[in-house]
Amino acid sequence: MTEDEWRDAGVLWDYHHLRHELRACAAGIGLGSHDPGVAAEAARLYHAGLVPVLVFSGATTPTTYGRFPRGEAVHYREHARSLGVPESAILVEPTAVNTGQNIDRSRALLERAGITAGPVLLISKPYMERRAYATCRQVWPGAEPVCASEPASLADYARRIGDPRLITDMMVGDVQRILEYPRRGFAISQPVPDSVLGAWRRLIRAGFTSRLLAPP
């Protein structure tokens, strides 16, 4: 990536972070993805006493099959168990294939466990915080979403994942979803500053398009 592309990626990275002040919540929901860091961060927050129970949600998708062939939620549970989270504190939702399903099906699972509303800790990839929040506000109006992710810089995160272009592609795709999903009824609307729109359009012109829904 060029210096200009990396600078624009940093603009999107900052935008996707909500920087919520973390607080005790009724439950934590680890949103399935290709990144095992979500499960690690969920385990850290559990051990910090912020949640009494964790839900890991996610099926197998074309993006994650190679890494998590038995499903994202199942592998997340195993990773959290290896980090000392007791089995009794973990619920698994193994069928969701998108963020709306992650949250809605986790909500149903928590309701069966007697947790119906209140503050919920959404644990996601760092660049997915804003979309997770907007989705939760739409599909679970009674919840009070607090967003959390691995505390890392873009450079450190890209180094751990090992594919800065993929991360940038996904951030570009998430901006499009933030713009488009409210029109489809999938999420509440979010403000998108001109600086973010400019960086997003430049990255699209530079070819970071593999995660776009369709040409904007």
Side-chain angles (χ1 to χ4, degrees):
M1 292 175 60
T2 68
E3 184 176 337
D4 286 345
E5 290 166 354
W6 191 247
R7 186 181 304 111
D8 283 338
V11 172
L12 300 195
W13 177 266
D14 289 342
Y15 172 70
H16 286 307
H17 279 75
L18 292 176
R19 296 175 179 81
H20 283 170
E21 182 175 351
L22 301 187
R23 58 191 172 103
C25 292
I29 300 175
L31 302 175
S33 74
H34 65 90
D35 182 6
V38 174
E41 183 63 10
R44 186 183 76 81
L45 296 171
Y46 171 83
H47 289 304
L50 291 182
V51 291
V53 62
L54 294 168
V55 180
F56 292 121
S57 173
T60 298
T61 69
T63 302
T64 61
Y65 177 77
R67 175 166 288 186
F68 300 138
R70 287 174 288 114
E72 298 155 6
V74 171
H75 285 269
Y76 275 16
R77 175 182 61 189
E78 292 172 354
H79 192 37
R81 291 286 291 114
S82 76
L83 295 172
V85 179
E87 185 71 30
S88 60
I90 300 174
L91 300 173
V92 172
E93 188 297 298
T95 65
V97 295
N98 59 53
T99 306
Q101 290 180 2
N102 285 143
I103 294 170
D104 190 50
R105 295 177 186 185
S106 295
R107 174 189 57 80
L109 193 59
L110 288 167
E111 286 179 349
R112 289 196 292 273
I115 300 170
T116 59
V120 176
L121 195 60
L122 299 180
I123 307 154
S124 68
K125 297 171 291 187
Y127 52 86
M128 194 181 162
E129 285 189 16
R130 186 175 293 274
R131 185 160 67 85
Y133 173 83
T135 304
C136 186
R137 289 288 308 278
Q138 179 71 21
V139 304
W140 193 359
E144 302 168 25
V146 178
C147 293
S149 63
E150 173 188 347
S153 68
L154 173 57
D156 287 344
Y157 187 78
R159 192 158 35 247
R160 180 173 72 76
I161 297 297
D163 192 343
R165 187 172 188 92
L166 172 64
I167 294 167
T168 304
D169 274 344
M170 295 185 87
M171 290 194 294
V172 167
D174 265 23
V175 170
Q176 186 190 34
R177 285 160 176 80
I178 286 166
L179 292 167
E180 176 64 25
Y181 278 3
R183 292 192 285 267
R184 302 187 185 189
F186 298 160
I188 66 165
S189 180
Q190 293 281 283
V192 185
D194 289 343
S195 59
V196 173
L197 289 172
W200 176 64
R201 289 171 178 141
R202 287 190 294 272
L203 288 167
I204 289 174
R205 289 196 296 270
F208 293 88
T209 58
S210 73
R211 299 291 164 163
L212 291 179
L213 297 167

